[in-house]
Amino acid sequence: MRNECLNNKYAYDSPMPVSRLVSVLGSKSQIPTQRYGRRPFGVGLLVAGYDDLGAHLYQTCPSANFYECKAMAIGARSQSARTYLEKHLNEFPNSTLDDAIKHALRALRDTLPNEIELTTKNCSLGIVGQDMPFTIFDDERVKPYLDAIEGDARGNSGPDDRPGPGDDDDHGRPTSEARVNVLAESMEH
C-alpha cells in the first residue's frame, strides 16, 4: 500500500485517493484466485483513511469487492458490534472524537463473551483524520477510554454472540478478535 501511494505521488504529484488505493488492494488480493498454484488470501480488511474528499472507511473482501461504510465491524462474533453500530449510527455525525472512540470500544466490548472484559491487552486503537496522521494509541492512551465505558451496560447478547468450539484459546481469550471502526463525518476537525 505504501509503494502504491509513493508511486502515485511521484507520477501525479498528488496523494492517492483512498478509494483508488482500496481498489488496487482489492485487485491484488483477488488475482491469486485466478491463478493455478497460488492460494487466495481469504481475508477481509477494514481500511480507514482521509483524503481531499474527507474521511473514508472501506471493507474489502478477498473477491476484490469493497464497500464504503460509515461504521463497520468484521471478524468473529462481529454481528453484535454491527448491531450496536446500526443502533447508534445517527449519533456519529454529531460525535466528538472522544465520543466516537467510546462508541467503537462499546461495540468491540459487545463482541466479547460475558466472562471476558475489554482491557488494554485485548484491544488496540488507531485514529486518522484531517491534519492527524495515522496514530496507534498505546495502552496508557486507551486506558482512560476503557475506564469511561466501564460502568456502561453491555448490549443484549443473542445466540450468535455465544462463543463456539475453538473460539477461545487455553486461557479463555478469543483467538479471533472482531475489529471495529467507526467513522464520524464530524471528526474532520
Side-chain angles (χ1 to χ4, degrees), residues 69-144:
C69 309
K70 293 187 185 254
M72 179 53 69
I74 61 173
R77 296 185 297 275
S78 63
Q79 182 58 48
S80 57
R82 284 195 299 271
T83 301
Y84 175 89
L85 295 171
E86 287 173 12
K87 285 181 183 176
H88 298 277
L89 190 61
N90 294 333
E91 299 173 26
F92 299 154
N94 300 323
S95 294
T96 64
L97 177 61
D98 288 343
D99 290 339
I101 291 171
K102 290 175 190 173
H103 279 297
L105 291 174
R106 285 184 196 111
L108 184 60
R109 181 186 60 194
D110 285 351
T111 66
L112 296 174
N114 288 331
E115 62 273 1
I116 297 178
E117 292 297 321
L118 190 63
T119 66
T120 58
K121 302 300 179 203
N122 61 5
C123 77
S124 59
L125 182 62
I127 305 292
V128 65
Q130 183 179 13
D131 300 325
M132 182 186 311
F134 178 71
T135 306
I136 297 178
F137 285 14
D138 58 7
D139 292 349
E140 292 80 31
R141 290 183 70 186
V142 174
K143 183 85 170 108

Side-chain angles (χ1 to χ4, degrees), residues 6-7 27 35 47 50 52 54 59 66 70 73 75 93 95 99 120 135 142 148 156 160 162 170-171 177-178 187:
L6 288 172
N7 288 338
S27 296
R35 297 208 175 134
V47 179
Y50 192 89
D52 294 338
Q59 174 190 3
F66 60 93
K70 293 187 185 254
S95 294
D99 290 339
T120 58
T135 306
V142 174
N156 295 333
D160 295 337
R162 284 186 237 132
D170 294 335
H171 303 288
E177 299 286 332
M187 291 172 38

Side-chain angles (χ1 to χ4, degrees), residues 29-40:
S29 68
Q30 197 268 344
I31 288 172
T33 65
Q34 297 177 350
R35 297 208 175 134
Y36 177 75
R38 302 229 15 220
R39 185 174 174 165

Side-chain angles (χ1 to χ4, degrees), residues 12-56:
Y12 301 108
D13 197 30
S14 67
M16 180 180 254
V18 179
S19 60
R20 188 173 309 143
L21 177 64
V22 171
S23 175
V24 169
L25 177 66
S27 296
K28 286 188 182 213
S29 68
Q30 197 268 344
I31 288 172
T33 65
Q34 297 177 350
R35 297 208 175 134
Y36 177 75
R38 302 229 15 220
R39 185 174 174 165
F41 289 110
V43 66
L45 299 172
L46 289 178
V47 179
Y50 192 89
D51 59 19
D52 294 338
L53 300 174
H56 302 279

